[in-house]
């Protein structure tokens, strides 16, 4: 039996998250939370941020450094342009701006330009606190 495409994408996503969390730790970030990796438990947020289908919105990673809060959303080439991802990025951008939080979209290098264009088009982003990072 061959794995489903969504299973492969999920595995790639988790591998990228694991690598990125290790990088954050090396760079001195603390209070790191993610719902996908063991040892970095993340609790569900309140009812204020939800997708249009009613599902709660939780960023892939939350971390702190130098009294600043950061949220990181990891996307792959297979998911970057989907309607659900675009909605998620809009909501995370708005939440980050309203709460004075830095927001990073983390992507593989080959989709950096596409991701940057998507982030720059978000109407509610804080241009000084919204960025795209490549791994």
């Amino acid at each position: 039996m061959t794995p489903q495409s969504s299973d492969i994408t999920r595995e790639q996503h988790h591998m990228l998250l694991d690598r990125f969390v290790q990088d954050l730790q090396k760079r001195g970030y603390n209070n790191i939370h993610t719902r996908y990796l063991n040892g970095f438990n993340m609790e569900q947020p309140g009812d204020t941020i939800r997708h249009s289908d009613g599902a709660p919105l939780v960023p892939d990673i939350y971390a702190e450094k130098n009294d600043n809060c950061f949220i990181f959303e990891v996307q792959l080439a297979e998911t970057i342009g989907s309607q659900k991802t675009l909605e998620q990025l809009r909501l995370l951008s708005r939440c980050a701006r309203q709460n004075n939080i830095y927001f990073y979209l983390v992507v593989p290098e080959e989709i950096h330009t596409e991701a940057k264009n998507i982030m720059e088009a978000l109407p509610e982003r804080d241009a000084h606190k919204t960025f795209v990072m490549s791994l």
Side-chain angles (χ1 to χ4, degrees), residues 35 42-50 55-59 92 95:
R35 62 186 168 152
M42 177 177 279
E43 298 178 14
Q44 294 289 330
D47 293 334
T48 55
I49 306 172
R50 294 202 171 267
L57 176 63
V58 179
L92 286 171
C95 174

Side-chain angles (χ1 to χ4, degrees), residues 35-99:
R35 62 186 168 152
Y36 298 108
L37 303 175
N38 291 332
F40 296 96
N41 297 331
M42 177 177 279
E43 298 178 14
Q44 294 289 330
D47 293 334
T48 55
I49 306 172
R50 294 202 171 267
H51 284 284
S52 59
D53 64 4
L57 176 63
V58 179
D60 285 330
I61 300 169
Y62 170 88
E64 297 174 354
K65 184 176 180 181
N66 300 330
D67 295 325
N68 290 304
C69 299
F70 300 81
I71 55 175
F72 301 90
E73 185 61 29
V74 176
Q75 291 295 324
L76 303 170
E78 296 83 359
T79 59
I80 191 67
S82 75
Q83 189 59 39
K84 184 173 182 176
T85 295
L86 296 175
E87 179 185 3
Q88 185 175 21
L89 295 175
R90 280 192 299 271
L91 291 171
L92 286 171
S93 177
R94 182 174 64 216
C95 174
R97 193 186 90 237
Q98 290 172 346
N99 294 287

Side-chain angles (χ1 to χ4, degrees), residues 2 7 11 18 28 31 38 50-51 56 70 72 82-83 93 102 111 120 123 127 131:
T2 58
D7 291 337
E11 185 177 322
D18 183 49
N31 199 22
N38 291 332
R50 294 202 171 267
H51 284 284
F70 300 81
F72 301 90
S82 75
Q83 189 59 39
S93 177
Y102 288 87
I111 62 169
E120 287 176 354
F131 307 97

Side-chain angles (χ1 to χ4, degrees), residues 111-128:
I111 62 169
H112 181 92
T113 300
E114 179 182 2
K116 186 176 177 186
N117 291 338
I118 288 170
M119 291 294 274
E120 287 176 354
L122 295 175
E124 296 188 12
R125 76 182 179 98
D126 179 343
H128 301 287

